[in-house]
């Protein structure tokens, strides 16, 4: 019913920002969402998964009884108005640093069906989501490398000495 990608912005490394969202309700239109990366009761599952750094697949009583689940408001992004199943995968780079979180809510049987409490993400769904998460990480890493290379090239063109060039390269490498 819904899938979203939360990324960590450079200026606020303790937050997650919803960068992409697809749901039956929004059809690519989404409101800005900013979440804290924290693990506290009632603080929300996405922040908890980001802090924990492990794949989380919950449904039924395990989801409803989870102490980290927000209970203060129904999920605005779900047409069903209720979260029946939750699959979340932390997006980590090759050095095990958190880049963001991939979330999926409420599995459905078919494209025209509605989510039901007895449906949940199975091992096949989790495997597909892991593949998607790996592709997202590759894209994020490529973008970061390209940005660093662009910054180094800009510094080389504006540098006056070899020392400035080398310092910029070392700075970006760190």
């Amino acid at each position: 019913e819904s899938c979203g990608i939360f990324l960590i912005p450079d200026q606020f490394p303790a937050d997650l920002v919803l960068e992409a969202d697809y749901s039956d309700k929004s059809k690519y239109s989404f409101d800005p969402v900013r979440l804290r990366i924290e693990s506290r009761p009632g603080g929300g599952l996405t922040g908890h998964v980001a802090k924990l750094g492990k794949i989380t697949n919950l449904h039924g009583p395990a989801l409803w009884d989870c102490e980290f689940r927000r209970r203060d408001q129904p999920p605005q992004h779900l047409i069903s108005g209720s979260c029946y199943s939750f699959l979340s995968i932390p997006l980590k780079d090759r050095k095990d640093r958190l880049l963001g979180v991939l979330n999926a809510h409420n599995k459905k049987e078919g494209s025209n069906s509605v989510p039901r409490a007895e449906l949940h993400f199975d091992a096949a769904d989790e495997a597909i989501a892991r593949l998607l998460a790996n592709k997202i990480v590759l894209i994020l890493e490529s973008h970061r490398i390209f940005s660093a290379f662009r910054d180094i090239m800009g510094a080389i063109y504006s540098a006056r000495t070899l020392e400035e060039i080398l310092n910029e390269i070392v700075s970006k490498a760190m």
Side-chain angles (χ1 to χ4, degrees):
E1 186 177 5
S2 173
C3 182
I5 300 171
F6 290 84
L7 299 178
I8 298 174
D10 292 334
Q11 64 273 31
F12 300 105
D15 288 356
L16 290 169
V17 176
L18 181 64
E19 295 291 345
D21 179 54
Y22 176 81
S23 75
D24 292 343
K25 188 172 186 177
S26 66
K27 296 294 183 192
Y28 296 106
S29 170
F30 59 93
D31 295 326
V33 176
R34 182 179 293 273
L35 304 171
R36 298 292 299 169
I37 298 174
E38 61 184 355
S39 184
R40 66 175 175 81
L45 283 169
T46 302
H48 171 67
V49 169
K51 188 76 169 174
L52 186 66
K54 297 188 183 218
I55 294 175
T56 303
N57 187 350
L58 298 172
H59 65 279
L63 174 62
W64 297 311
D65 297 339
C66 181
E67 67 177 320
F68 300 102
R69 183 174 183 217
R70 286 190 66 173
R71 300 179 195 293
D72 56 348
Q73 61 184 353
Q76 304 283 323
H77 60 291
L78 301 176
I79 289 177
S80 63
S82 184
C83 185
Y84 298 114
S85 54
F86 174 79
L87 174 61
S88 186
I89 300 177
L91 304 171
K92 294 184 173 188
D93 67 8
R94 57 186 165 72
K95 294 183 179 179
D96 206 36
R97 291 179 296 208
L98 184 69
L99 303 173
V101 176
L102 171 67
N103 278 354
H105 296 89
N106 291 354
K107 180 176 179 175
K108 300 190 306 182
E109 276 183 316
S111 60
N112 295 327
S113 69
V114 295
R116 298 191 314 264
E118 63 272 10
L119 296 175
H120 58 87
F121 297 105
D122 57 19
D125 296 320
E126 193 173 311
I128 291 168
R130 283 180 197 227
L131 290 172
L132 178 60
N134 288 337
K135 293 291 184 189
I136 292 168
V137 168
L138 286 173
I139 291 167
L140 294 173
E141 286 283 277
S142 296
H143 177 71
R144 185 167 64 184
I145 290 168
F146 177 76
S147 296
F149 182 69
R150 185 188 61 225
D151 292 347
I152 289 171
M153 293 308 293
I156 288 172
Y157 287 124
S158 65
R160 290 184 225 131
T161 67
L162 178 60
E163 182 181 0
E164 287 180 19
I165 293 171
L166 295 175
N167 282 337
E168 186 64 28
I169 291 170
V170 170
S171 169
K172 289 295 178 191
M174 296 305 284

